[in-house]
Amino acid sequence: MAETNKDAKKGLSQSPLFSNLVYKAVIVLLMAGISWYSQEHSITASQFNQAFASIPLPVILFVTIMDYLFDTGSLYKKVWGKQKGFSGLITALGVAGVFFIIVTWMLARTISFASISPITYVVAGVLTLLLLWPKTGTSEFGLLYWFVTQLVTKFAFLTIFPGGIALG
């Protein structure tokens, strides 16, 4: 009986179904934003494949490890699972924002955001979505797609180690 009253007092914003729907709605909005940005900057599939194939191997391995840790380790539970209501969503978006900035910097090798190409933002956004999307950590989607783009581009953009990294 006490358990039923406890569940009844939770409210809609703390129900797992509602939280899951809100989380998915946010991911859809982020996908729509990336798609809109790509369209506004006339980014083609060929440019995307070339940019994805140009990701240095250490960067794609970093993304793969982070996705694994975020989804299967305790990081996902700490960021989203223990939070109540919308605070978990805000925390997850904050972590994703920091991840986006780090990945953008790793891809562009600069923090001078005005000089970064639109395609870099799109690729970093897609990699960030991969981090946010639940249950992708054990599938290595980013690494697999990186390998596919290597095949499609005939390894023309293969980068094992990034060049010099600048801070501005």
Side-chain angles (χ1 to χ4, degrees), residues 116-136:
I116 298 173
S117 69
I119 188 64
T120 301
Y121 286 122
V122 170
V123 170
V126 168
L127 292 173
T128 302
L129 275 177
L130 187 62
L131 177 77
L132 276 174
W133 205 278
K135 300 177 183 159
T136 59

Side-chain angles (χ1 to χ4, degrees), residues 98-116:
V98 170
F99 183 79
F100 174 78
I101 290 169
I102 291 169
V103 170
T104 301
W105 172 73
M106 292 173 87
L107 295 175
R109 295 182 217 109
T110 183
I111 57 171
S112 175
F113 291 108
S115 65
I116 298 173

Side-chain angles (χ1 to χ4, degrees), residues 9-115:
K9 291 180 182 179
K10 274 187 172 179
L12 184 60
S13 68
Q14 293 179 357
S15 86
L17 177 63
F18 183 76
S19 293
N20 194 22
L21 289 174
V22 169
Y23 191 69
K24 287 182 180 179
V26 168
I27 289 176
V28 167
L29 289 173
L30 290 171
M31 286 190 297
I34 292 169
S35 297
W36 172 83
Y37 185 81
S38 298
Q39 178 178 305
E40 289 297 306
H41 292 281
S42 301
I43 294 172
T44 66
S46 175
Q47 290 171 316
F48 183 82
N49 285 343
Q50 290 172 6
F52 212 94
S54 297
I55 298 173
L57 182 58
V59 174
I60 201 68
L61 290 175
F62 168 76
V63 169
T64 301
I65 290 167
M66 289 304 295
D67 188 31
Y68 178 81
L69 291 175
F70 200 77
D71 282 354
T72 63
S74 61
L75 187 57
Y76 184 79
K77 290 175 187 160
K78 286 179 183 174
V79 170
W80 178 258
K82 290 186 179 181
Q83 302 290 328
K84 301 292 181 204
F86 290 107
S87 63
L89 176 65
I90 299 303
T91 305
L93 290 176
V95 169
V98 170
F99 183 79
F100 174 78
I101 290 169
I102 291 169
V103 170
T104 301
W105 172 73
M106 292 173 87
L107 295 175
R109 295 182 217 109
T110 183
I111 57 171
S112 175
F113 291 108
S115 65

Side-chain angles (χ1 to χ4, degrees), residues 109-168:
R109 295 182 217 109
T110 183
I111 57 171
S112 175
F113 291 108
S115 65
I116 298 173
S117 69
I119 188 64
T120 301
Y121 286 122
V122 170
V123 170
V126 168
L127 292 173
T128 302
L129 275 177
L130 187 62
L131 177 77
L132 276 174
W133 205 278
K135 300 177 183 159
T136 59
T138 58
S139 300
E140 300 92 20
F141 288 124
L143 182 62
L144 292 173
Y145 191 75
W146 179 82
F147 184 69
V148 166
T149 59
Q150 297 304 326
L151 294 174
V152 168
T153 61
K154 299 176 183 145
F155 295 89
F157 301 96
L158 177 63
T159 307
I160 301 298
F161 296 106
I165 294 178
L167 291 178

